[in-house]
Amino acid sequence: MKALRLQGWKSRPELVEVDDPRPGPGEVVIRVGGAGACHSDLHLMNEFEAGAVPWDPPFTLGHENAGWVHELGDGVTDVEVGQPVAVYGPWGCGTCSRCRLGLETYCENLAEAPVMGGGGGLGLDGGMAELMLVPSSRHLVPLPDGLEPSVAAPLTDAALTPYHAVKLSLPKLTPDATAVVIGVGGLGHMAVQILRATTAASIIAVDMRPEALDLAERHGAGLGLISDDYTVKGIREATGGRGADVVIDCVGADATLAMGAAAARQMGDLTIVGIGGGTLGVSFFSVPYEVAIRTTYWGSRPELVEVLSMAARGLIQSDVTTFPLEKANEAYDELAAGKIEGRAVVIPNPGPTA
Ligand SMILES: [Zn+2]
Ligand SMILES: [Zn+2]
């Protein structure tokens, strides 16, 4: 079969021929119906180098995946061949307390995980291929009726990640609160919709691109602000001087972190979900009092069930631009050039059968 593989650090992925995966006991092979092209893959292929993470190329890219069950390993009884499923991306040990909560992203027994701190498309072979090996059926979430794999795929990260962040801040997202989403890309355009669907808070979107603000406003942001020297002032003005109760930074660069800290309301939350690699100096007087600053990484398996439920009911939708597997590198090129509105999704198979 064909697969888009990262063959080495700081290299352009290559579409190559590889052997079809076969499932061992407890494992499942899925026929991939959609694999999201994530911004973090650009960091992975352009900036990472040996030692940055506990794994190395080569591996097949694609960590946001959905498709149809293709072949079952011995002992798998909880899914059926042909069934549409989303793949829960972070793969932990399955038995530590975090994994038992479904929060395998924070597995504490990484030596027993299929790959340390990764998953399919992150150290192990991902979904930018015709078939994908999933190491346990517990990572498969059946798709609700009406949700196609091509649409569900990006939800497994681009929606799950901001959903986890929003959920942590729900007590502060009262109807009189204001949430700010910085960066309206794959994650940000989902963050806006998730805030709209789960809270009555006012939503302000911040981005450098006017068209991204249009997208955010179509999805429920009440105000869009261009990211510049006046953004913090704009947020303060829009909130009667108080600032933002919750800031979700989907970029994570020096400038956006500083903006988020300066725009936060006292006792607010600043949650960093973007892996832009920026830093924020924290001292007694540098951030408003009692602002909680945290990072999050991905989300839990139960939260993926909740995200898919919201999508199936039309409460959130991923704006998807599709590419055939042969053009997967073009998807990444357009993503890098800022030309993708919403999410680029690679479609290795259009349906459950050949
Ligand atoms: Zn991702
Ligand atoms: Zn674990």
Side-chain angles (χ1 to χ4, degrees), residues 4 53 65 109 162 166 177 233 258 280 317:
L4 185 79
V53 284
N65 307 301
N109 190 16
V166 168
K233 190 163 172 276
L280 175 70
Q317 69 186 82

Side-chain angles (χ1 to χ4, degrees), residues 92-117:
C93 73
T95 55
C96 74
S97 59
R98 300 299 188 225
C99 283
R100 287 181 191 279
L101 287 172
L103 205 54
E104 302 206 18
T105 183
Y106 302 145
C107 176
E108 293 176 316
N109 190 16
L110 289 174
E112 298 298 320
V115 60
M116 285 184 81

Side-chain angles (χ1 to χ4, degrees), residues 14-295:
E14 293 174 30
L15 191 66
V16 296
E17 195 72 30
V18 297
D19 290 340
D20 286 4
R22 299 299 311 276
E27 298 176 340
V28 179
V29 168
I30 69 158
R31 190 175 158 82
V32 183
C38 179
H39 217 275
S40 61
D41 290 329
L42 297 177
H43 293 288
L44 196 65
M45 60 181 82
N46 296 324
E47 291 152 33
F48 280 39
E49 50 196 2
V53 284
W55 30 267
D56 286 298
F59 57 87
T60 301
L61 287 165
H63 59 264
E64 309 182 342
N65 307 301
W68 299 270
V69 174
H70 176 75
E71 189 177 359
L72 305 177
D74 284 348
V76 177
T77 56
D78 51 349
V79 289
E80 290 173 17
V81 171
Q83 186 177 2
V85 289
V87 181
Y88 176 68
W91 298 339
C93 73
T95 55
C96 74
S97 59
R98 300 299 188 225
C99 283
R100 287 181 191 279
L101 287 172
L103 205 54
E104 302 206 18
T105 183
Y106 302 145
C107 176
E108 293 176 316
N109 190 16
L110 289 174
E112 298 298 320
V115 60
M116 285 184 81
L122 298 166
L124 294 176
D125 291 341
M128 297 223 175
E130 292 162 39
L131 302 171
M132 176 182 175
L133 179 68
V134 178
S136 169
S137 58
R138 77 171 186 277
H139 301 305
L140 300 177
V141 178
L143 292 186
D145 283 347
L147 204 58
E148 289 296 315
S150 58
V151 173
L155 299 174
T156 64
D157 178 14
L160 178 58
T161 299
Y163 181 62
H164 181 73
V166 168
K167 249 187 124 171
L168 291 171
S169 292
L170 279 180
K172 295 182 184 178
L173 289 166
T174 50
D176 61 334
T178 298
V180 170
V181 176
I182 302 176
V184 187
L187 272 69
H189 92 290
M190 296 304 315
V192 169
Q193 297 179 65
I194 289 161
L195 286 161
R196 176 85 301 145
T198 61
T199 81
S202 301
I203 304 166
I204 299 175
V206 177
D207 201 287
M208 289 155 63
R209 302 163 299 157
E211 62 274 20
L213 298 180
D214 291 344
L215 178 69
E217 287 174 9
R218 285 205 300 280
H219 281 311
L223 176 66
L225 293 174
I226 288 290
S227 181
D228 60 21
D229 292 346
Y230 303 98
T231 315
V232 172
K233 190 163 172 276
I235 293 168
R236 291 270 164 206
E237 280 175 8
T239 55
R242 291 189 303 268
D245 295 81
V246 173
V247 177
I248 296 178
D249 184 350
C250 297
V251 180
D254 285 340
T256 60
L257 293 176
M259 179 194 297
R265 184 181 185 182
Q266 293 182 110
M267 303 172 76
D269 284 349
L270 169 56
T271 300
I272 307 161
V273 301
I275 62 165
T279 54
L280 175 70
V282 175
S283 63
F284 198 89
F285 295 111
S286 72
V287 250
Y289 293 125
E290 287 195 37
V291 167
I293 299 170
R294 69 177 147 231
T295 55

Side-chain angles (χ1 to χ4, degrees), residues 304-323:
L304 179 55
V305 176
E306 292 162 25
V307 160
L308 296 174
S309 169
M310 279 194 291
R313 286 180 290 144
L315 294 171
I316 58 171
Q317 69 186 82
S318 49
D319 290 6
V320 162
T321 308
T322 61
F323 294 81

